[in-house]
């Protein structure tokens, strides 16, 4: 070797080449385990009544579709969050109770946290409450599945089927589902009863009403935009078990219709995944390494990575073809994290007409 030649680049590649197969293999095993062994709730026709609670801001179109599907399965309360459309009128016409805030959004609160908090403390008799986003769609067996998961002193959440938006929206969001289902061994928590999932999906969360009121969950994370992940961590801190299920046969969601809305939607809250500048940049770099590290590995390295993507797509009944775009999606995820950090740092976080400052 010539004198003075710098070998640091070669050493770094060697380290990456050793670590990546282990990581890809681990992520494949986690994704496969979740796809095969996560909770799939049965149907329980009789059981506790469930009140459906829906925070809604300019959700007229979604409520027109969702409420007729849900009305036969339980009573519904909709929080009209200062909507500029006919959200409240549509909800009432379709049989839902509608509540509104008596004052503007207080400083230090995000809109959804305020909405869920007031919904959770509204008047109802049901023993269980289920928070739902307005953009979900449910099957006739949806409530029966929920009743089979309803347990005192436990919270339940689930992964729905994903209804893709216009291309390339699936690529803008693919990194999110993969990160959740390939990095979190939900199936192990279920099988062993050890550990804690530390996760809730804000699209669908089932609570014992008394427990929600005791913890005042949304109030405790009131200034956070990524409230569902923070509530999952709060439940872990309080030793409240969380059951994570696959409900893709009875629940679906389309979060965003276009790539730009998906990019902006994830940029508003991704910073809170890590919660710090250093953590955000390290996570973004990690996603980039995972996205393209397979290029320096034998063919089976790529097979493990893409195999984990296929497994996560199967859980949410997504288009398997988009699994092949995982490297692009992970790259988008890295960019989204940095953009979210910049929005947070400069006070540019805006969602549904509201500006949120750090």
């Amino acid at each position: 070797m010539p004198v003075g030649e710098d070998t640091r680049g070669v050493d770094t590649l060697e380290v990456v080449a050793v670590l990546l197969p282990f990581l890809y293999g681990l992520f494949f095993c986690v994704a496969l385990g979740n796809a095969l062994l996560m909770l799939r709730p049965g149907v329980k026709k009789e059981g506790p009544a469930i009140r459906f609670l829906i925070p809604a801001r300019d959700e007229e179109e979604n409520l027109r579709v969702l409420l007729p599907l849900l009305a036969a399965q339980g009573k519904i309360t909709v929080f009209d969050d200062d909507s500029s459309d006919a959200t409240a009128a549509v909800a009432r016409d379709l049989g839902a109770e509608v509540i509104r805030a008596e004052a503007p959004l207080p400083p230090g609160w995000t809109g959804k946290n305020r909405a869920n908090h007031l919904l959770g403390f509204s008047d109802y008799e049901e023993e269980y409450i289920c928070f739902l986003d307005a953009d979900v769609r449910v099957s006739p067996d949806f409530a029966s599945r929920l009743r089979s998961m309803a347990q005192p002193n436990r919270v339940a959440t689930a992964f729905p089927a994903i209804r893709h938006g216009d291309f390339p929206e699936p690529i803008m969001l693919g990194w999110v589902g993969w990160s959740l289902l390939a990095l979190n061994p939900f199936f192990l928590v279920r099988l062993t009863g050890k550990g804690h999932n530390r996760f809730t999906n804000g699209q669908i969360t089932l609570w014992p009403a008394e427990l929600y009121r005791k913890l005042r969950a949304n109030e405790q994370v009131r200034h956070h935009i990524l409230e569902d992940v923070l509530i999952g961590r709060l439940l872990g801190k309080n030793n409240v078990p969380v059951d994570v299920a696959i409900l893709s046969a009875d629940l679906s969601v389309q979060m965003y219709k276009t790539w730009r809305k998906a990019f902006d939607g994830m940029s508003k809250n991704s910073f809170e995944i890590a919660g710090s500048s250093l953590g955000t940049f390290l996570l973004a770099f990690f996603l980039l390494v995972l996205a393209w590290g397979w290029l320096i590995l034998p063919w089976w390295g790529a097979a493990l990575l893409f195999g984990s993507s296929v497994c996560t797509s199967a859980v949410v009944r997504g288009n398997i073809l988009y699994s092949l775009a995982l490297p692009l999606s992970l790259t988008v995820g890295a960019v989204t994290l940095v953009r979210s950090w910049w929005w947070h740092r400069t006070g540019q976080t805006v969602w549904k007409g509201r500006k949120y400052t750090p």
Side-chain angles (χ1 to χ4, degrees):
M1 179 181 297
V3 177
E5 184 174 335
D6 189 351
T7 63
R8 286 176 295 179
V10 175
D11 293 340
T12 301
L13 284 178
E14 290 176 351
V15 171
V16 171
V18 170
L19 289 178
L20 275 179
F22 170 77
L23 289 176
Y24 288 159
L26 176 63
F27 297 153
F28 174 73
C29 289
V30 170
L32 181 62
N34 283 333
L36 296 178
L37 300 172
M38 273 178 64
L39 174 65
R40 285 178 168 82
V43 172
K44 187 176 182 181
K45 295 294 184 181
E46 303 295 331
I50 299 170
R51 170 74 65 151
F52 298 104
L53 306 178
I54 304 173
R57 181 171 169 86
D58 296 333
E59 295 287 5
E60 171 188 353
E61 294 184 7
N62 276 320
L63 292 180
R64 288 188 190 279
V65 180
L66 172 61
L67 295 187
L69 300 173
L70 200 58
Q73 305 189 49
K75 294 183 179 179
I76 306 164
T77 302
V78 172
F79 182 88
D80 177 24
D81 190 8
D82 296 328
S83 297
S84 60
D85 65 3
T87 287
V90 168
R92 287 194 189 96
D93 290 345
L94 293 174
E97 178 186 354
V98 177
I99 63 173
R100 289 177 172 174
E102 297 178 354
L105 183 67
W109 283 78
T110 64
K112 187 173 183 181
N113 278 317
R114 193 262 303 260
N116 281 359
H117 178 71
L118 294 180
L119 282 166
F121 282 83
S122 61
D123 292 330
Y124 51 82
E125 298 177 350
E126 289 80 3
E127 184 180 353
Y128 288 87
I129 54 177
C130 178
F131 292 101
L132 286 176
D133 279 356
D135 53 9
V136 302
R137 305 291 181 262
V138 301
S139 78
D141 284 330
F142 175 64
S144 299
R145 304 284 183 186
L146 292 183
R147 278 192 288 272
S148 73
M149 292 193 291
Q151 297 185 57
N153 301 313
R154 298 179 76 91
V155 173
T157 191
F159 283 91
I162 297 297
R163 306 193 312 273
H164 294 306
D166 298 333
F167 185 84
E169 182 267 354
I171 294 176
M172 308 303 292
L173 285 183
W175 67 279
V176 180
W178 182 87
S179 298
L180 290 171
L181 287 163
L183 275 62
N184 295 283
F186 299 119
F187 74 99
L188 278 181
V189 175
R190 178 201 171 209
L191 294 178
T192 65
K194 305 294 184 181
H196 196 285
N197 287 311
R198 301 178 69 84
F199 166 78
T200 62
N201 177 5
Q203 297 159 349
I204 157 75
T205 312
L206 178 69
W207 286 81
E210 182 179 352
L211 177 62
Y212 179 82
R213 290 178 167 177
K214 176 183 177 181
L215 288 181
R216 306 177 74 91
N218 286 97
E219 183 180 23
Q220 292 204 49
V221 300
R222 57 189 175 273
H223 61 287
H224 289 285
I225 302 176
L226 195 65
E227 84 291 331
D228 51 357
V229 172
L230 274 296
I231 287 174
R233 296 172 186 174
L234 174 69
L235 292 170
K237 182 179 178 181
N238 285 275
N239 296 314
V240 177
V242 179
D243 296 322
V244 182
I246 298 175
L247 276 180
S248 54
D250 297 279
L251 182 71
S252 68
V253 65
Q254 182 181 72
M255 293 175 62
Y256 308 105
K257 293 183 179 180
T258 67
W259 74 267
R260 184 54 187 262
K261 288 183 178 180
F263 194 28
D264 289 346
M266 295 310 303
S267 294
K268 78 180 186 297
N269 57 21
S270 294
F271 169 79
E272 292 186 340
I273 296 174
S276 68
S277 298
L278 177 61
T280 297
F281 281 94
L282 287 176
L283 181 56
F285 177 73
F286 180 63
L287 290 182
L288 287 175
V289 172
L290 293 179
W292 303 107
W294 56 274
L295 292 172
I296 65 172
L297 299 178
W299 66 269
W300 47 264
L304 289 172
L305 177 64
F306 290 108
S308 67
S309 185
V310 169
C311 290
T312 58
S313 293
V315 169
V316 298
R317 300 194 175 193
N319 188 331
I320 298 296
L321 291 178
Y322 290 129
S323 302
L324 302 178
L326 181 63
L328 291 176
S329 188
L330 292 175
T331 303
V332 168
V335 174
T336 302
L337 286 165
V338 175
R339 187 177 188 233
S340 182
W341 166 83
W342 179 249
W343 279 15
H344 181 85
R345 181 182 177 89
T346 58
Q348 297 182 52
T349 303
V350 177
W351 190 243
K352 289 200 170 183
R354 290 186 173 124
K355 185 173 184 180
Y356 296 105
T357 56

